[in-house]
Amino acid sequence: HYFIQSNLREMILLLPLVSLLISPSLTVDRKNFKRCDQSGFCKRLRGLEKDNSPYYTTPPTQINSSSITFDIRHETKPDLLTATIRVLKDHTVRISAQEKDPIHPRYSPVDSFGEAPLVDGSCDLSHSTDSSTLTFPPNKIVINHNPLRVDVFSKEGLVASLNARGLFHIEAQKLKPSMFAQGIQKLSDLGSSVIDVGSRLLSTINIGSDPSKPEPPKDPAEESEDGGEEGVEEEDDIGGISDEDILMMEWEEDFKSHHDSNPRGPRAISLDVSFTGFDKVYGLPEHADTFPLKSTKDTDPYRLYNLDVFEYELHNPMALYGSIPYMYALSPLQSVGMMWLNAAETWVDISFSSDKSLVGRVLSSLISSDEVSRVDTHWMSESGVLDLFLFLGPAPRDVTRQYSHVFGPSLLPPLFSIAYHQCRWNYNDQQDVLTVDENFDKHDIPVDVIWLDIEHTNGKRYFTWDSNKFPDSHGMISALSKKGRNMVTIIDPHIKVDSGWNLYKEARDHGQCSIFVKNKDSKNYEGHCWPGTSSWVDYTSPCAREWWAQQFPYDKYTGSTPNLFTWNDMNEPSVFNGPEVTMHKDALHAEGWEHRDVHNMFGFYMHSASRDGQVLRSGGQARPFVLSRAFFVGSHRVGPIWTGDNHASWEHLRMSLPMLLSLNIAGYPFVGADTGGFFGNPEPELLVRWYQSAIFTPFFRAHAHIDTRRREPWLFGEENTKLIRSAIVMRYQILPYLYTQFYHASVDNTLIIRPLWFDAPSDTSLYSNEHEFMLGDAL
């Protein structure tokens, strides 16, 4: 790569090194977003008593050559849980747990999988009074029965312990206290003369049911908030309702002016995972924070809850646009990845220690050294099943490969999509687009894609064009395509409520399924976004996703061509008048799931449906390209994402690199940040430096807010134009090499941009480096 290196040295010499400047005071309004102490379940779970687990296991109920299933009981409560530990292909472990007979099913984001995880099938199992052991050389898992603890060993010794600090907890589902009162009143109305508080009669509100024969869990779609939630709670009775159970914070919550009815009550899950022998962990995107994760001892936990955060802060654990609940632990001899597969709101606490005494009595016998580094983590989710995966490496490349076996490799994108993209909110009209296109030729700057934001539509009605500004969209796109260029238009998930618009009417009146998300009263959910009053497509529904995909063919999307591609924004989802600028948690989706259960999957499903639409329109003959802002586990198989609404500051340029590294280490290779910063007006030197950095990131797009000054590459004087041109040209010079990296990622999800330690894990001096990286293995 001599030619590349020579040009790079030339660029560096043309500008002096820059000192970091203080960023402008533009920042997020934090009052719009919850802290842990304002989130009922986070506050409860963060307050659990440590180092005294009340849970214990019973003898295994099912054993085979790759898994073990056992019941879990509580010392003082009647809750009965069930757990399964499976050994999967290629040194991977899956551990899951939930109630044995839940009143309502718990949500599991199964569409995150690339394919069904394959079991190993060659484990040795042994048992004693105190423990059960699964051995799959060179690894083994020891299940300690009382108190419950799961220890995971590699060739190097103990690497992870689950529930070592006693923070495992699953809030067993119960009937709402008001429903017990309703049941008592019903009995009274029927003239019942005896109410046996100690009996199991009121374990269901169905008066005629047989308490000795529990009913199976009901389909949530058949349940209504005022019709009585039906289910079984064999071990509870009226007298057993504690004061804690009827605290309003556990059942219903208010945040600012918004009320969450939470009709199915508290059902959060919690687990502590200690990584022994490690002092660095990475991952948990998306956060605008350092690449190595930090202690949350004196801050909120890291939050994973997809949100539209306007002008987000740096060095903050608050949630952003996407969520991948994945953590990567690194030491010279061992790497371990862990996925906490849960789509609900999640918080993660982290602390670090090197004092053996702090490990506690449960682990001290397993560690020979007087001092051992350890990372303690605490995972808390509002609902869903407990389902985690451990990838046991031992090398970084092994962990990446193991991840791909479960969640699939990255997509292989079309070549144009890894070239240079020019975007702005908004190019004013058709003539503006063609003038920008001509100026790229005039200044001899290569570009492959020009983008249009929301102003190109007819009143924010997506799949339409403003006929005054873009009278001949087909001709405009064709003019670009004659030069080998493409166009991208924005398509958001909110649909303008307009009975005169065919697309809205078609969705509202669809006969095969419900296209829109419902509110808690089972009416179409409505809120405010760019078009005004809007409804949101329920992308969790396969039927709704199929309907969405059918909007992309050329006969439906008038004025589109094969060279028009898609940008999905605002798909966290962003609801301007909703709690935390998003959808109400008690909104209802297909199959009766509450929004709280599926929230972090919403953007993934929209992204997937748009991808399917592009595949449909080409008859499967052309590779799709869809950019998304929101994402979850599995989104890497669909298309690229970007880091959202950053700012034109040196700090945001600096932060873009650790954010992109975190995404790559968490299995998402096709990522980028808005070159130049979305908000604000970059000084020329900052803009040049940003281009010179961004050309080495997988997704390379310049973008700017509608209120910023125009900043096309030729608008900053001849010398800066030359420097920006040189940087963009270099991007095109390395495209063959970069495309080869994308090919490798499509095979086994190999990282495209890599921390320096990825290929040199024994060099601990590299562990905190977050501003240098490898592009592939040779640059």
Side-chain angles (χ1 to χ4, degrees):
H1 299 99
Y2 174 78
F3 181 71
I4 295 172
Q5 293 170 351
S6 297
N7 279 352
L8 181 59
R9 283 194 295 271
E10 179 180 317
M11 289 200 311
I12 293 173
L13 289 172
L14 287 170
L15 281 175
L17 293 176
V18 286
S19 300
L20 296 183
L21 303 178
I22 298 175
S23 62
S25 59
L26 295 173
T27 185
V28 64
D29 184 355
R30 297 197 62 185
K31 297 190 299 294
N32 288 330
F33 303 99
K34 288 183 180 180
R35 303 183 308 269
C36 177
D37 61 5
Q38 296 172 308
S39 171
F41 82 93
C42 185
K43 186 175 181 179
R44 292 195 304 272
L45 297 181
R46 211 181 193 195
L48 289 173
E49 181 183 358
K50 298 178 182 178
D51 301 323
N52 189 23
S53 176
Y55 291 95
Y56 64 94
T57 69
T58 60
T61 59
Q62 184 177 342
I63 300 172
N64 60 40
S65 61
S66 62
S67 68
I68 180 171
T69 299
F70 50 91
D71 290 341
I72 302 175
R73 293 186 179 275
H74 193 283
E75 289 178 348
T76 61
K77 295 181 180 180
D79 306 336
L80 180 62
L81 311 174
T82 184
T84 299
I85 299 179
R86 299 176 180 87
V87 176
L88 306 180
K89 174 184 176 182
D90 197 6
H91 307 293
T92 300
V93 177
R94 183 181 188 182
I95 302 173
S96 57
Q98 63 174 319
E99 299 103 321
K100 192 157 190 176
D101 294 304
I103 293 176
H104 303 290
R106 284 181 175 265
Y107 184 76
S108 177
V110 295
D111 287 330
S112 288
F113 297 128
E115 57 185 27
L118 300 176
V119 297
D120 183 282
S122 60
C123 299
D124 292 326
L125 292 95
S126 60
H127 305 279
S128 69
T129 304
D130 299 327
S131 65
S132 302
T133 302
L134 292 82
T135 302
F136 51 111
N139 311 298
K140 69 176 180 179
I141 302 170
V142 179
I143 305 160
N144 300 276
H145 296 164
N146 191 7
L148 171 64
R149 190 182 79 249
V150 178
D151 297 321
V152 182
F153 296 82
S154 74
K155 179 182 177 181
E156 303 302 326
L158 179 67
V159 294
S161 291
L162 285 61
N163 201 37
R165 295 188 297 146
L167 298 177
F168 167 69
H169 184 59
I170 294 181
E171 294 183 330
Q173 299 176 63
K174 294 177 172 62
L175 296 174
K176 203 168 187 177
S178 62
M179 305 194 76
F180 282 98
Q182 292 171 14
I184 294 171
Q185 184 61 50
K186 286 181 181 180
L187 286 173
S188 176
D189 294 343
L190 289 171
S192 175
S193 59
V194 177
I195 300 177
D196 182 1
V197 172
S199 74
R200 299 291 180 257
L201 181 59
L202 290 178
S203 64
T204 173
I205 296 300
N206 270 352
I207 303 302
S209 65
D210 180 357
S212 67
K213 188 177 182 181
E215 296 183 4
K218 299 290 289 183
D219 182 345
E222 299 174 358
E223 300 163 352
S224 64
E225 187 176 344
D226 59 356
E229 295 173 307
E230 301 177 346
V232 177
E233 194 166 327
E234 297 184 32
E235 302 295 338
D236 216 341
D237 54 49
I238 297 176
I241 302 176
S242 67
D243 291 339
E244 178 185 358
D245 288 335
I246 58 175
L247 288 173
M248 186 62 70
M249 190 65 170
E250 294 193 12
W251 288 89
E252 301 184 11
E253 293 188 32
D254 292 306
F255 180 68
K256 300 185 75 172
S257 62
H258 301 283
H259 182 68
D260 176 10
S261 64
N262 196 10
R264 295 173 191 168
R267 52 194 185 276
I269 62 174
S270 164
L271 180 67
D272 60 278
V273 181
S274 295
F275 296 98
T276 303
F278 301 89
D279 59 12
K280 285 287 188 296
V281 287
Y282 308 86
L284 295 185
E286 181 175 40
H287 296 96
D289 209 345
T290 57
F291 182 38
L293 296 171
K294 298 184 295 192
S295 170
T296 60
K297 181 179 178 180
D298 300 318
T299 69
D300 258 3
Y302 285 97
R303 190 184 188 198
L304 295 166
Y305 189 62
N306 296 359
L307 292 172
D308 180 2
V309 182
F310 187 80
E311 296 178 337
Y312 56 82
E313 290 182 5
L314 305 183
H315 303 290
N316 195 306
M318 68 186 300
L320 289 179
Y321 310 98
S323 300
I324 302 179
Y326 179 76
M327 184 174 286
Y328 190 105
L330 176 68
S331 74
L333 297 178
Q334 181 75 48
S335 296
V336 175
M338 183 192 134
M339 180 69 77
W340 175 268
L341 190 61
N342 189 292
E345 178 186 354
T346 296
W347 301 75
V348 185
D349 262 325
I350 301 174
S351 61
F352 299 86
S353 175
S354 59
D355 184 351
K356 180 179 177 180
S357 66
L358 296 178
V359 178
R361 66 182 186 276
V362 296
L363 290 183
S364 59
S365 62
L366 302 176
I367 300 169
S368 58
S369 173
D370 290 335
E371 289 193 1
V372 58
S373 58
R374 192 182 76 257
V375 183
D376 292 325
T377 66
H378 183 197
W379 302 71
M380 301 164 278
S381 292
E382 185 175 16
S383 66
V385 299
L386 191 160
D387 195 7
L388 68 85
F389 294 78
L390 288 169
F391 306 104
L392 299 178
R397 287 179 182 271
D398 298 322
V399 173
T400 301
R401 182 189 66 250
Q402 292 156 0
Y403 182 110
S404 72
H405 289 325
V406 177
F407 299 109
S410 184
L411 84 164
L412 182 64
L415 180 60
F416 78 83
S417 67
I418 67 170
Y420 176 58
H421 301 249
Q422 183 68 43
C423 184
R424 178 176 179 80
W425 177 23
N426 201 85
Y427 286 117
N428 299 323
D429 51 33
Q430 186 168 319
Q431 185 55 51
D432 193 11
V433 169
L434 296 176
T435 299
V436 169
D437 172 64
E438 291 169 3
N439 270 309
F440 274 101
D441 295 332
K442 177 181 177 181
H443 294 280
D444 196 24
I445 299 174
V447 65
D448 266 59
V449 193
I450 295 177
W451 294 52
L452 292 177
D453 212 315
I454 54 177
E455 310 303 332
H456 82 278
T457 62
N458 175 18
K460 314 303 188 298
R461 297 170 180 85
Y462 303 108
F463 299 100
T464 70
W465 302 84
D466 183 325
S467 58
N468 292 319
K469 296 178 180 178
F470 298 92
D472 183 13
S473 60
H474 193 283
M476 174 182 63
I477 302 169
S478 296
L480 298 179
S481 65
K482 289 177 181 178
K483 300 179 181 180
R485 293 170 182 162
N486 301 277
M487 174 162 277
V488 168
T489 52
I490 196 168
I491 298 177
D492 289 348
H494 44 266
I495 303 298
K496 182 180 177 65
V497 174
D498 177 3
S499 58
W501 181 24
N502 286 337
L503 186 140
Y504 171 76
K505 289 192 297 182
E506 181 182 328
R508 182 195 62 190
D509 302 333
H510 197 276
Q512 299 299 315
C513 64
S514 176
I515 298 299
F516 290 132
V517 177
K518 305 299 182 183
N519 63 22
K520 65 184 179 65
D521 300 315
S522 299
K523 299 178 181 178
N524 285 346
Y525 180 91
E526 291 187 358
H528 290 279
C529 208
W530 297 124
T533 302
S534 304
S535 288
W536 275 256
V537 174
D538 182 7
Y539 299 101
T540 70
S541 163
C543 178
R545 293 199 300 273
E546 182 180 356
W547 173 84
W548 182 259
Q550 291 168 353
Q551 308 310 309
F552 285 83
Y554 312 119
D555 60 339
K556 293 283 286 187
Y557 189 177
T558 304
S560 65
T561 79
N563 293 86
L564 182 67
F565 296 88
T566 305
W567 171 17
N568 290 156
D569 199 2
M570 314 295 287
N571 56 341
E572 293 75 27
S574 178
V575 182
F576 290 163
N577 63 333
E580 302 193 86
V581 201
T582 193
M583 190 170 284
H584 292 74
K585 288 185 174 181
D586 54 8
L588 296 173
H589 292 264
E591 301 182 21
W593 296 112
E594 286 187 88
H595 186 71
R596 82 183 71 248
D597 300 313
V598 304
H599 174 85
N600 287 344
M601 286 284 281
F602 186 91
F604 163 83
Y605 277 128
M606 182 195 187
H607 200 187
S608 300
S610 298
R611 180 269 321 272
D612 292 346
Q614 288 191 9
V615 172
L616 177 65
R617 76 176 186 182
S618 73
Q621 298 302 304
R623 274 177 280 176
F625 172 75
V626 183
L627 178 75
S628 175
R629 188 168 71 177
F631 57 89
F632 188 64
V633 185
S635 293
H636 66 286
R637 302 192 310 270
V638 182
I641 57 99
W642 88 107
T643 59
D645 298 341
N646 58 1
H647 194 272
S649 70
W650 291 101
E651 287 86 352
H652 273 265
L653 168 57
R654 181 181 180 89
M655 185 56 71
S656 67
L657 300 181
M659 291 181 75
L660 299 181
L661 285 170
S662 294
L663 285 159
N664 266 253
I665 206 68
Y668 214 134
F670 199 2
V671 295
D674 282 344
T675 300
F678 178 66
F679 291 109
N681 297 298
E683 59 187 90
E685 184 179 10
L686 171 60
L687 184 64
V688 169
R689 287 298 195 187
W690 210 314
Y691 270 98
Q692 292 174 340
S693 170
I695 62 172
F696 300 111
T697 61
F699 179 59
F700 179 31
R701 180 185 73 155
H703 186 33
H705 188 274
I706 194 170
D707 292 330
T708 63
R709 295 191 292 269
R710 295 290 285 258
R711 60 167 88 146
E712 284 76 33
W714 49 85
L715 296 177
F716 293 84
E718 184 177 347
E719 184 62 24
N720 290 316
T721 299
K722 177 182 177 182
L723 292 169
I724 294 173
R725 180 194 301 114
S726 178
I728 296 175
V729 167
M730 180 176 290
R731 172 66 169 214
Y732 280 80
Q733 290 170 337
I734 66 170
L735 275 185
Y737 171 77
L738 182 58
Y739 199 57
T740 302
Q741 308 315 307
F742 273 93
Y743 167 75
H744 291 312
S746 74
V747 174
D748 59 8
N749 219 35
T750 298
L751 307 190
I752 292 178
I753 59 171
R754 309 170 186 182
L756 296 186
W757 53 253
F758 187 78
D759 291 306
S762 61
D763 188 348
T764 58
S765 68
L766 302 176
Y767 285 13
S768 296
N769 190 314
E770 60 183 9
H771 295 116
E772 297 176 89
F773 59 93
M774 295 293 294
L775 179 59
D777 59 3
L779 183 58

